[in-house]
Amino acid sequence: MSSLGLAQDKFEGGAFHPQLPGGRASGTLLVSVAGIRFESPHGAIVFPLSNLQLEMGGAGDRMCFFKHPQFPGCSLFTTDKAILKHPALAHDRAVSAQRSQWGRRRFFAVAAAVLLVLAIPMALWLAKDPAAGLVARNIPVDWEVKLGETVFEQVTNRARVVTAPELNAEFSRLVQPLFAATGTTRYQFQVHIVEDLSLNAFALPGGIMVVHSGLILKADRAEEVLGVMGHELAHVTQQHSLRAIVQRVGLIVMLQFLIGSDGGLAGVIANSADFLLGQKFSRDHEREADNIGFDYLVKAGIDPQGLITFFEKIQKEQDAKLGGAAEVEASLSFLSTHPGTDERIAHLRKRIAKETKGRTFQPVAQDFKSFQDRLRQQLGTK
Ligand SMILES: [Zn+2]
């Protein structure tokens, strides 16, 4: 028996054979140019190399099985894959063809496993916002309203709300065309002016919108304030706060809710006031609010240019305050830093050029300057 000068030509293994006690025996596989010889205390058998068949099997294809047409019902096996590197086998055409087939199979199995591991989280991740949107649309409106009221209560604990009825009524009248432009009957929109000199406004779930007195007083035209209100209104109608809350509960709770059992979502929503107070909308939700807010403005016949001039105002203010470099981190804020104000202005400009070409917008009729004066007076007298 030739050893081909190789260090290893003996491999631990076994054989299945109907004549062996129990049908199998352990032993040694000896590889040579003559074939594979199996030796055990029960006897020996030689599988010639020609017509030798190789199969991989067992858990994770860890075992090599050899079969031969001359010995039907009999197979030799080893877990020592080094056997395949033995020159007598490595150069055998049939064996190497089967090895490469096995290699391809293994490659596809690994590729499929990797794909599965990557694809499932990716699919879930991609599905998360649409899934949250679907859940949010099915949430009873009073859950939303209740949450909005809870947050508003916390806001009013920290800031003073303008209570002068005629000012509130006038401001509501100013925003009314935007409310109508949403075309939704789900919400009873209400808007509150809070005494705060910063340029800010925000929307709460359920239809409550808050605008800082500073934003109204610094505006040059009503259209600027209305531009911001259109954006905030879109956050309400697109349920961005609710969607952000729902995304945090995970797909299991979402699924439970959608198939009819609450799954604890009511409790999560009821307890999300603190989360909302510290929350910032995602980049996608801000873009969506810009776009849908723009639609509302155009539909209501309000010049959307106001939103742009107001963005520019905000930008100037930020540059002056922060040297233009720092980021404004404000929660519940219109002044989101993402997407950047430049990008938002550029996008709105494009839409104006494309969609309102040749259209002239009538100025908002209400005497905005006089409203500002009276608001200023109201704040000054306190
Ligand atoms: Zn926003």
Side-chain angles (χ1 to χ4, degrees):
M1 205 176 284
S2 161
S3 75
L4 293 164
L6 201 83
Q8 191 185 7
D9 52 13
K10 278 187 185 173
F11 305 89
E12 291 291 309
F16 291 106
H17 195 291
Q19 283 166 22
L20 285 167
R24 64 176 286 171
S26 308
T28 311
L29 270 58
L30 291 132
V31 183
S32 73
V33 286
I36 302 178
R37 180 185 170 86
F38 172 71
E39 284 177 358
S40 82
H42 304 283
I45 191 171
V46 181
F47 281 14
L49 285 187
S50 80
N51 292 326
L52 186 70
Q53 294 161 4
L54 164 68
E55 273 175 28
M56 309 303 292
D61 279 348
R62 278 186 309 113
M63 290 170 83
C64 308
F65 290 93
F66 297 97
K67 291 185 178 167
H68 202 284
Q70 273 178 30
F71 304 94
C74 175
S75 59
L76 309 178
F77 63 86
T78 177
T79 54
D80 191 348
K81 282 187 181 162
I83 196 171
L84 299 175
K85 290 189 178 138
H86 190 285
L89 290 176
H91 301 309
D92 183 90
R93 263 175 52 198
V95 170
S96 59
Q98 283 171 76
R99 271 188 68 189
S100 66
Q101 192 186 1
W102 169 74
R104 271 199 302 278
R105 218 175 67 203
R106 180 131 188 110
F107 170 78
F108 284 117
V110 170
V114 167
L115 214 68
L116 214 64
V117 164
L118 291 178
I120 288 178
M122 194 177 246
L124 291 181
W125 182 75
L126 286 174
K128 230 176 165 193
D129 190 42
L134 180 67
V135 170
R137 280 194 296 281
N138 284 285
I139 280 171
V141 68
D142 42 305
W143 296 13
E144 231 176 315
V145 170
K146 189 109 193 76
L147 172 61
E149 283 170 356
T150 308
V151 178
F152 185 59
E153 228 173 81
Q154 296 195 22
V155 170
T156 52
N157 284 342
R158 298 187 294 209
R160 268 205 301 209
V161 179
V162 172
T163 51
E166 69 289 349
L167 286 175
N168 282 320
E170 201 172 333
F171 193 67
S172 291
R173 264 203 308 283
L174 187 69
V175 191
Q176 198 59 46
L178 277 177
F179 293 159
T182 64
T184 180
T185 51
R186 183 176 164 94
Y187 305 108
Q188 300 245 294
F189 296 109
Q190 41 173 301
V191 57
H192 299 275
I193 305 169
V194 158
E195 289 185 31
D196 190 315
L197 287 177
S198 60
L199 297 183
N200 199 12
F202 52 89
L204 302 176
I208 298 175
M209 298 201 294
V210 174
V211 56
H212 284 185
S213 53
L215 188 142
I216 298 175
L217 295 178
K218 292 233 177 77
D220 287 314
R221 303 194 288 154
E223 282 82 349
E224 291 185 342
V225 180
L226 290 171
V228 176
M229 297 318 280
H231 171 97
E232 295 305 326
L233 197 53
H235 278 313
V236 178
T237 59
Q238 304 312 302
Q239 300 181 292
H240 288 156
S241 299
L242 212 54
R243 275 154 71 180
I245 294 168
V246 171
Q247 284 210 24
R248 291 166 73 228
V249 302
L251 285 163
I252 301 291
V253 176
M254 288 192 211
L255 217 62
Q256 279 175 317
F257 176 80
L258 288 175
I259 60 171
S261 88
D262 173 287
L265 193 59
V268 171
I269 290 175
N271 290 308
S272 291
D274 287 337
F275 165 71
L276 283 191
L277 282 165
Q279 176 223 13
K280 293 184 76 183
F281 291 119
S282 73
R283 182 183 280 255
D284 284 345
H285 286 177
E286 288 300 349
R287 282 208 187 97
E288 191 171 57
D290 279 349
N291 277 323
I292 292 177
F294 181 94
D295 294 341
Y296 292 160
L297 290 168
V298 173
K299 202 168 163 198
I302 298 162
D303 186 359
Q305 200 77 43
L307 185 53
I308 293 185
T309 53
F310 202 78
F311 269 136
E312 287 168 344
K313 206 163 274 176
I314 285 172
Q315 206 171 31
K316 247 188 220 156
E317 186 120 319
Q318 285 176 356
D319 287 355
K321 258 195 203 144
L322 306 161
E327 290 220 335
V328 179
E329 284 296 333
S331 53
L332 265 183
S333 176
F334 180 73
L335 308 171
S336 107
T337 52
H338 58 265
T341 312
D342 284 338
E343 186 192 323
R344 297 170 83 174
I345 292 174
H347 176 69
L348 290 172
R349 280 227 171 91
K350 245 184 240 163
R351 283 200 66 185
I352 286 179
K354 211 169 133 192
E355 295 168 46
T356 68
K357 212 167 155 187
R359 180 166 170 183
T360 45
F361 291 91
Q362 292 302 314
V364 172
Q366 217 156 359
D367 187 354
F368 187 61
K369 287 271 178 260
S370 135
F371 175 73
Q372 285 177 312
D373 287 342
R374 278 173 287 130
L375 177 61
R376 204 172 279 118
Q377 236 167 31
Q378 173 77 23
L379 299 178
T381 54
K382 284 205 168 160

